[in-house]
Amino acid sequence: MMTLYSDPNCPLCHRVRLLIHEKAIAVNIQDITTHPWPEEVAAALPYGKSPVLVDRELILFDANIIIAYLEE
């Protein structure tokens, strides 16, 4: 299952969450304000910002790229 790490106060994260809700995509959503970044995700992030989508071995860290990926 995919996991989305997002900040509840981030407008870019809200865009991704809205798309997930509209398309009824099964995604585990983790708020990063209450949970720390997992080590393997933190090591792969160049900016350390959310949203971040993890799908098996794939880590996406830009809202526009995440939205394009979920649209497919």
Side-chain angles (χ1 to χ4, degrees):
M1 176 183 274
M2 293 184 280
T3 301
L4 177 71
Y5 296 93
S6 72
D7 181 349
N9 299 317
C10 172
L12 296 173
C13 295
H14 282 288
R15 286 181 54 206
V16 175
R17 286 179 180 221
L18 284 171
L19 178 70
I20 289 169
H21 179 72
E22 287 175 0
K23 297 205 171 264
I25 301 171
V27 175
N28 180 22
I29 298 176
Q30 295 286 327
D31 291 335
I32 60 165
T33 57
T34 58
H35 296 94
W37 291 103
E39 290 180 24
E40 65 275 3
V41 175
L45 295 179
Y47 307 116
K49 297 181 181 179
S50 60
V52 175
L53 181 72
V54 178
D55 186 12
R56 293 181 228 126
E57 299 293 320
L58 179 65
I59 298 175
L60 302 173
F61 54 85
D62 180 83
N64 293 327
I65 294 171
I66 293 170
I67 289 170
Y69 180 76
L70 294 173
E71 287 284 345
E72 294 179 6

